[in-house]
PDB file of all heavy atoms in Angstrom:
ATOM      1  N   ILE A 195      22.985  -7.543 -19.147  1.00  0.00           N
ATOM      2  CA  ILE A 195      23.328  -6.125 -19.233  1.00  0.00           C
ATOM      3  C   ILE A 195      23.930  -5.653 -17.914  1.00  0.00           C
ATOM      4  O   ILE A 195      23.440  -5.986 -16.838  1.00  0.00           O
ATOM      5  CB  ILE A 195      22.077  -5.284 -19.562  1.00  0.00           C
ATOM      6  CG1 ILE A 195      21.487  -5.730 -20.912  1.00  0.00           C
ATOM      7  CG2 ILE A 195      22.415  -3.806 -19.586  1.00  0.00           C
ATOM      8  CD1 ILE A 195      20.138  -5.091 -21.234  1.00  0.00           C
ATOM      9  N   SER A 196      25.007  -4.874 -18.015  1.00  0.00           N
ATOM     10  CA  SER A 196      25.631  -4.310 -16.819  1.00  0.00           C
ATOM     11  C   SER A 196      26.011  -2.860 -17.077  1.00  0.00           C
ATOM     12  O   SER A 196      26.140  -2.422 -18.230  1.00  0.00           O
ATOM     13  CB  SER A 196      26.873  -5.109 -16.416  1.00  0.00           C
ATOM     14  OG  SER A 196      27.936  -4.875 -17.317  1.00  0.00           O
ATOM     15  N   GLU A 197      26.191  -2.127 -15.988  1.00  0.00           N
ATOM     16  CA  GLU A 197      26.621  -0.732 -16.095  1.00  0.00           C
ATOM     17  C   GLU A 197      27.991  -0.633 -16.761  1.00  0.00           C
ATOM     18  O   GLU A 197      28.304   0.330 -17.454  1.00  0.00           O
ATOM     19  CB  GLU A 197      26.675  -0.095 -14.704  1.00  0.00           C
ATOM     20  CG  GLU A 197      25.324   0.100 -14.052  1.00  0.00           C
ATOM     21  CD  GLU A 197      24.532   1.246 -14.656  1.00  0.00           C
ATOM     22  OE1 GLU A 197      25.127   2.042 -15.425  1.00  0.00           O
ATOM     23  OE2 GLU A 197      23.326   1.342 -14.384  1.00  0.00           O
ATOM     24  N   GLY A 198      28.803  -1.670 -16.540  1.00  0.00           N
ATOM     25  CA  GLY A 198      30.162  -1.640 -17.065  1.00  0.00           C
ATOM     26  C   GLY A 198      30.259  -1.761 -18.572  1.00  0.00           C
ATOM     27  O   GLY A 198      31.296  -1.438 -19.158  1.00  0.00           O
ATOM     28  N   ASP A 199      29.186  -2.228 -19.228  1.00  0.00           N
ATOM     29  CA  ASP A 199      29.221  -2.395 -20.684  1.00  0.00           C
ATOM     30  C   ASP A 199      29.626  -1.101 -21.388  1.00  0.00           C
ATOM     31  O   ASP A 199      30.452  -1.098 -22.304  1.00  0.00           O
ATOM     32  CB  ASP A 199      27.855  -2.846 -21.202  1.00  0.00           C
ATOM     33  CG  ASP A 199      27.501  -4.260 -20.763  1.00  0.00           C
ATOM     34  OD1 ASP A 199      28.412  -4.981 -20.307  1.00  0.00           O
ATOM     35  OD2 ASP A 199      26.327  -4.636 -20.878  1.00  0.00           O
ATOM     36  N   TYR A 200      29.023  -0.004 -20.950  1.00  0.00           N
ATOM     37  CA  TYR A 200      29.230   1.264 -21.653  1.00  0.00           C
ATOM     38  C   TYR A 200      30.467   1.998 -21.161  1.00  0.00           C
ATOM     39  O   TYR A 200      31.124   2.707 -21.934  1.00  0.00           O
ATOM     40  CB  TYR A 200      27.968   2.130 -21.525  1.00  0.00           C
ATOM     41  CG  TYR A 200      26.792   1.460 -22.192  1.00  0.00           C
ATOM     42  CD1 TYR A 200      25.943   0.636 -21.464  1.00  0.00           C
ATOM     43  CD2 TYR A 200      26.571   1.596 -23.558  1.00  0.00           C
ATOM     44  CE1 TYR A 200      24.881  -0.019 -22.080  1.00  0.00           C
ATOM     45  CE2 TYR A 200      25.511   0.947 -24.186  1.00  0.00           C
ATOM     46  CZ  TYR A 200      24.672   0.135 -23.435  1.00  0.00           C
ATOM     47  OH  TYR A 200      23.639  -0.524 -24.049  1.00  0.00           O
ATOM     48  N   SER A 201      30.808   1.814 -19.884  1.00  0.00           N
ATOM     49  CA  SER A 201      32.038   2.442 -19.393  1.00  0.00           C
ATOM     50  C   SER A 201      33.257   1.811 -20.063  1.00  0.00           C
ATOM     51  O   SER A 201      34.244   2.493 -20.357  1.00  0.00           O
ATOM     52  CB  SER A 201      32.133   2.315 -17.873  1.00  0.00           C
ATOM     53  OG  SER A 201      32.178   0.951 -17.481  1.00  0.00           O
ATOM     54  N   LYS A 202      33.189   0.515 -20.340  1.00  0.00           N
ATOM     55  CA  LYS A 202      34.295  -0.156 -21.018  1.00  0.00           C
ATOM     56  C   LYS A 202      34.411   0.286 -22.479  1.00  0.00           C
ATOM     57  O   LYS A 202      35.512   0.328 -23.031  1.00  0.00           O
ATOM     58  CB  LYS A 202      34.131  -1.673 -20.930  1.00  0.00           C
ATOM     59  CG  LYS A 202      34.383  -2.240 -19.541  1.00  0.00           C
ATOM     60  CD  LYS A 202      34.206  -3.750 -19.505  1.00  0.00           C
ATOM     61  CE  LYS A 202      34.444  -4.295 -18.112  1.00  0.00           C
ATOM     62  NZ  LYS A 202      34.227  -5.762 -18.041  1.00  0.00           N
ATOM     63  N   ARG A 203      33.280   0.624 -23.102  1.00  0.00           N
ATOM     64  CA  ARG A 203      33.331   1.103 -24.489  1.00  0.00           C
ATOM     65  C   ARG A 203      34.165   2.376 -24.605  1.00  0.00           C
ATOM     66  O   ARG A 203      34.846   2.595 -25.605  1.00  0.00           O
ATOM     67  CB  ARG A 203      31.912   1.371 -25.007  1.00  0.00           C
ATOM     68  CG  ARG A 203      31.237   0.160 -25.613  1.00  0.00           C
ATOM     69  CD  ARG A 203      29.873   0.510 -26.151  1.00  0.00           C
ATOM     70  NE  ARG A 203      29.926   1.448 -27.267  1.00  0.00           N
ATOM     71  CZ  ARG A 203      30.131   1.093 -28.541  1.00  0.00           C
ATOM     72  NH1 ARG A 203      30.338  -0.177 -28.862  1.00  0.00           N
ATOM     73  NH2 ARG A 203      30.127   2.008 -29.495  1.00  0.00           N
ATOM     74  N   LYS A 204      34.103   3.216 -23.565  1.00  0.00           N
ATOM     75  CA  LYS A 204      34.876   4.458 -23.572  1.00  0.00           C
ATOM     76  C   LYS A 204      36.376   4.177 -23.547  1.00  0.00           C
ATOM     77  O   LYS A 204      37.182   5.023 -23.918  1.00  0.00           O
ATOM     78  CB  LYS A 204      34.489   5.319 -22.368  1.00  0.00           C
ATOM     79  CG  LYS A 204      33.050   5.813 -22.392  1.00  0.00           C
ATOM     80  CD  LYS A 204      32.723   6.597 -21.129  1.00  0.00           C
ATOM     81  CE  LYS A 204      31.274   7.047 -21.117  1.00  0.00           C
ATOM     82  NZ  LYS A 204      30.919   7.763 -19.858  1.00  0.00           N
TER      83      LYS A 204
END
Side-chain angles (χ1 to χ4, degrees):
I195 300 172
S196 72
E197 291 286 348
D199 292 345
Y200 297 92
S201 62
K202 288 180 181 178
R203 273 182 65 84
K204 295 177 182 177

